[in-house]
């Protein structure tokens, strides 16, 4: 009897074990736990898998799938559960064999429904349906074949579409706000993903676009986060059950399958501390209701005000503030003024076009002077519109030593140049600039001797490389190897000027690999580029000597006289070579420029100043072109990363030796009031090779050290508040 009881007891235990754990394995609605922070998740209601879900007034609208068939369902929403969903009588998904619907969204104000998904060829599409008439208003392709999350219509501070795009190669995802026409995308946040297979599958934001909720799916597990754009802080949601979250006003709602119902859970997260109270203090200038972007702290404050007192940013707030002058920046980006890392000394005309392009700090890093007292005194006596400073122009020390462009220096001459370099650096240089391609007599010995002085004072040495050829004994990549050799031998910081036109030309992948290798070894190596696939030079200079056709892989018709439509010929080339003048040379590939731009630490420098109307368009349009074409239109880099390239990256390279740069390139309390306000959807360059002197569009206001230098009437050429950027050495 005792054995029988034991036998039946064991059998009962086995049955209970199978029933209990079998239910955990085979029932999708019971496959979660309330304690997991990352759980396997699939929303089920009435036995249907939910693909997409959205609030529709007091109801929810969802795409449900059963046995491969997808339909629109609607259900009542109450405080705790959504149940008894039924097919939506007003509209059903059309049967399109070439399309798969993945989600639904509604604009209740205009009675539009958005159905989105993928075509058979993998491309993304969105259909816009008039709910009242059941007619398709339009169908829009977008983001090519990228992996897209759900799409949310938002109508708070801005009206448009919110979604995420996963980049498997970069192992990250961009959370994007686009127009309702999906034709002008703005990256709000880039999220690093935990693996190459992870995706960002769901996203939503509160009405003011301050908090963003998103879910990451990695190997079947889901984790959820809320990111505060105003503080750049991320909170992971605890006890997640489900993979879809919606903001209901400022309240965050999560969904959880519970048998044949959807349970609703309100999630707690850290809210931003934006205040609505009025501040009594009056400011000199108030920039109101803008999209305030600070690349230093990586924050995006939408609908905020900036208060300026004297030459400083006194507050960035959502509280109501007043100013003696007020600027309406509604739906405009308010950013730090752009820093041109590679320019030349600003003339009045040059400064005008820099201001018109959003530039507040113009750095003559291709070589500024060998008389810094005279340089700073000149602008003190004759002020300019932009902040100014620059690099010691090393070649002019060669002239002082009687060498010219080709002479080989003696040790005595090198010693002279070293002593003069030390004298001038202490007067305020920001760097030392070498251009051995233009001055081929420059020897490694003189470069290293002067670099040692630069290192002693904490300066980065900037290089226009010795070679930019595609063929011959020495090619472009040899420039990279030479400069990196100096960095390693001296353990000194180096910077490549316009890497895509000297150093990376025809060899960008190898150049970047060499640079990254040096950086991984601990050496400080950086570079800048300008957003054009043509370069410019004076045709009489060394660069156009000899067999330039073979070196650059071009011919006469690839050379255009700046400011004209004229292309050179075999007959006209020697004429222009003799008389000189700026020519624009089509000798680069855009794909190499894009490769260089996609490296995090790269910077933007124009390599030009618009001294006259016969120049390269980069002197007037570099920064607007970079934002409009490479950030917005081509999506080469996300918005925040792109803005770092024209602000904080340059400031950080210089701030240890130039105190004026420690408060520039930033937009928060205490920073210098160098500010550019621009319309993200309209900003673009208008300068062309035929008409280089043409002001950019979309740059609406520019403030230099607390004074407005450009407003809605244009560039204020009488405002000359540019400040010196001086290296300070004890």
């Amino acid at each position: 009897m005792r054995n029988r009881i034991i036998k039946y007891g064991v059998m009962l235990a086995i049955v209970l074990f199978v029933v209990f754990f079998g239910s955990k394995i085979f029932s999708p609605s019971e496959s979660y736990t309330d304690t997991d922070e990352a759980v396997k998740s699939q929303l089920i209601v009435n036995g249907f898998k939910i693909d997409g879900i959205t609030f529709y007034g007091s109801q929810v609208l969802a795409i449900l799938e059963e046995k491969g068939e997808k339909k629109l369902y609607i259900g009542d929403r109450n405080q705790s559960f959504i149940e008894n969903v039924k097919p939506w009588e007003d509209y059903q998904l059309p049967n399109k064999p070439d399309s798969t619907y993945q989600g639904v969204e509604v604009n209740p104000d205009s009675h539009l429904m958005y159905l989105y998904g993928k075509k058979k060829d993998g491309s993304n599409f969105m259909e816009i349906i008039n709910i009242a008439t059941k007619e398709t208003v339009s169908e829009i392709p977008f983001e090519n074949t990228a992996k897209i999350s759900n799409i949310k219509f938002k109508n708070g501070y801005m009206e448009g579409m919110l979604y995420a795009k996963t980049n498997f190669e970069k192992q990250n995802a961009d959370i994007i706000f686009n127009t309702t026409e999906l034709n002008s995308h703005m990256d709000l946040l880039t999220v690093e993903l935990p693996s190459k297979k992870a995706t960002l599958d769901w996203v939503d934001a509160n009405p003011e676009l301050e908090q963003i909720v998103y879910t990451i799916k990695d190997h079947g597990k889901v984790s959820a986060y809320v990111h505060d754009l105003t503080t750049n802080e991320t909170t992971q949601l605890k006890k997640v059950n489900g993979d879809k979250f919606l903001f209901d006003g400022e309240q965050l709602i999560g969904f959880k399958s519970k048998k044949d119902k959807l349970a609703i859970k309100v999630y707690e997260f850290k809210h931003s501390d934006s205040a609505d109270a009025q501040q009594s203090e009056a400011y000199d200038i108030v920039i109101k209701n803008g999209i305030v972007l600070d690349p230093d702290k990586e924050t995006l404050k939408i609908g905020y005000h900036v208060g300026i007192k004297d030459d400083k940013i006194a507050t960035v707030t959502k509280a109501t503030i007043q100013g003696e002058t007020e600027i309406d920046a509604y739906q405009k980006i308010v950013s730090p003024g752009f820093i041109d890392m590679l320019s030349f000394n600003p003339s009045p005309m040059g400064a005008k076009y820099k201001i018109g392009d959003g530039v507040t700090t113009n750095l003559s890093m291709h070589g500024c002077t060998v008389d810094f007292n005279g340089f700073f005194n000149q602008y003190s006596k004759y002020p300019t519109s932009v902040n100014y400073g620059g690099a010691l122009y090393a070649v002019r020390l060669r002239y002082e030593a009687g060498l010219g462009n080709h002479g080989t220096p003696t040790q005595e001459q090198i010693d002279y140049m070293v002593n003069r370099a030390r004298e001038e650096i202490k007067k305020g240089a920001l760097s030392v600039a070498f251009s051995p391609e233009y001055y081929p007599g420059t020897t490694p010995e003189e470069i290293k001797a002067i670099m040692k002085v630069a290192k002693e004072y904490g300066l980065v040495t900037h290089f226009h490389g010795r070679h930019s050829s595609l063929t011959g004994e020495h090619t472009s990549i040899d420039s990279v190897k030479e400069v990196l050799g100096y960095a390693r031998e001296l353990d000194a910081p180096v910077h490549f000027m316009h890497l895509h036109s000297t150093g990376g030309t025809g060899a960008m992948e190898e150049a970047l690999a060499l640079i990254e290798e040096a950086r991984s070894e601990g050496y400080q190596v950086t570079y800048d580029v300008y957003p054009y696939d043509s370069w410019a030079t004076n045709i009489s200079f060394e660069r156009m000597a000899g067999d330039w056709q073979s070196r650059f892989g071009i011919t006469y018709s690839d050379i255009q006289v700046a400011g004209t439509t004229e292309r050179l010929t075999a007959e006209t080339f020697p004429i222009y070579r003799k008389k000189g003048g700026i020519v624009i040379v089509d000798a680069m590939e855009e794909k190499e420029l894009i490769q260089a731009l996609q490296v995090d630490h790269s910077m933007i420098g124009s390599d030009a100043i618009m001294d006259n109307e016969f120049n390269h368009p980069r002197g007037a349009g570099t920064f607007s072109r970079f934002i409009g074409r490479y950030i917005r239109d081509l999506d080469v880099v996300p918005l925040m990363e792109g803005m770092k390239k024209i602000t904080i990256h340059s400031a950080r390279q210089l701030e240890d030796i130039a105190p004026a740069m420690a408060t520039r390139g930033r937009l928060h309390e205490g920073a210098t009031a160098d500010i550019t306000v621009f319309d993200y959807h309209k900003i673009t360059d208008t300068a062309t090779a035929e008409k280089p002197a043409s002001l950019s569009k979309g740059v609406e206001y520019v403030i230099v050290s607390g004074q407005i230098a450009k407003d809605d009437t244009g560039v204020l050429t009488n405002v000359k508040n540019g400040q010196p950027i001086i290296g300070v050495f004890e």
Side-chain angles (χ1 to χ4, degrees), residues 2-23:
R2 182 166 174 253
N3 289 340
R4 186 178 298 174
I5 292 172
I6 293 172
K7 179 180 178 181
Y8 288 140
V10 171
M11 291 177 63
L12 178 62
I14 291 172
V15 170
L16 291 173
F17 179 89
V18 171
V19 170
F20 179 78
F21 285 98
S23 68

Side-chain angles (χ1 to χ4, degrees), residues 7 28 46 81 94 129 142 177 210 228 235 320 346 410 424 474 492 501 509 585 709 720:
K7 179 180 178 181
N46 293 2
F81 291 100
I129 315 295
F142 69 104
F177 192 84
E210 290 184 330
D228 191 327
T235 303
T320 302
T410 64
E424 292 303 323
H474 296 290
S501 67
E509 188 172 345
V585 183
K720 300 182 183 298

Side-chain angles (χ1 to χ4, degrees), residues 39-197:
V39 297
K40 290 187 177 180
S41 178
Q42 188 179 68
L43 291 183
I44 307 290
V45 62
N46 293 2
F48 296 95
K49 175 181 175 291
I50 294 180
D51 278 355
I53 189 168
T54 188
F55 290 141
Y56 184 32
S58 61
Q59 298 175 304
V60 292
L61 186 63
I63 291 182
L64 275 59
E65 179 181 347
E66 183 183 41
K67 297 179 181 178
E69 184 178 2
K70 296 186 179 186
K71 292 184 179 180
L72 278 172
Y73 278 72
I74 197 162
D76 292 329
R77 168 192 167 199
N78 59 40
Q79 189 172 4
S80 302
F81 291 100
I82 299 168
E83 55 186 336
N84 300 323
V85 296
K86 57 187 179 182
W88 195 28
E89 294 180 357
D90 288 352
Y91 188 84
Q92 270 308 320
L93 299 178
N95 183 15
K96 293 187 176 181
D98 68 332
S99 304
T100 300
Y101 295 100
Q102 297 177 327
V104 60
E105 184 54 37
V106 174
N107 177 352
D109 297 332
S110 58
H111 303 290
L112 294 176
M113 178 174 63
Y114 309 101
L115 296 172
Y116 51 89
K118 281 192 176 291
K119 297 281 189 180
K120 196 172 184 179
D121 62 4
S123 61
N124 296 290
F125 74 94
M126 185 174 70
E127 291 179 6
I128 303 176
I129 315 295
N130 185 311
I131 296 174
T133 65
K134 316 297 189 297
E135 294 178 347
T136 300
V137 176
S138 62
E139 181 177 308
I140 305 173
F142 69 104
E143 300 291 0
N144 299 317
T145 59
K147 172 67 174 68
I148 300 298
S149 71
N150 67 307
I151 300 176
K152 288 296 300 176
F153 170 77
K154 308 305 295 184
N155 190 16
Y157 177 84
M158 296 185 288
E159 179 177 287
M161 299 296 183
L162 181 76
Y163 56 92
K165 179 172 69 172
T166 296
N167 187 318
F168 292 102
E169 183 179 352
K170 292 185 177 180
Q171 200 174 314
N172 64 20
D174 292 328
I175 296 176
I176 295 162
F177 192 84
N178 212 324
T179 62
T180 52
E181 296 79 20
L182 297 171
N183 61 6
S184 183
H185 103 198
M186 177 190 296
D187 303 290
L188 299 181
L189 177 67
T190 298
V191 177
E192 300 301 320
L193 298 176
S195 77
K196 289 284 188 182
K197 293 187 178 295

Side-chain angles (χ1 to χ4, degrees), residues 270-288:
K270 184 178 179 181
H271 288 264
S272 61
D273 297 326
S274 59
D276 295 324
Q278 181 171 343
Q279 293 185 8
S280 58
E281 184 177 359
Y283 299 93
D284 298 331
I285 301 172
V286 168
I287 305 172
K288 306 188 78 170

Side-chain angles (χ1 to χ4, degrees), residues 227-276:
H227 182 86
D228 191 327
L229 290 173
T230 69
T231 63
N232 194 29
E233 295 178 351
T234 303
T235 303
Q236 183 171 0
L237 299 178
K238 306 297 183 180
K239 298 183 179 180
V240 169
N241 294 97
D243 58 1
K244 293 173 174 60
F245 297 83
L246 296 174
F247 273 98
D248 187 13
E250 296 295 327
Q251 194 175 55
L252 180 60
I253 305 295
F255 298 95
K256 168 191 174 184
S257 293
K258 197 163 187 178
K259 298 193 181 297
D260 283 343
K261 303 176 181 179
L262 275 186
I264 290 180
K265 178 179 178 180
V266 178
Y267 279 85
E268 297 295 330
F269 62 94
K270 184 178 179 181
H271 288 264
S272 61
D273 297 326
S274 59
D276 295 324

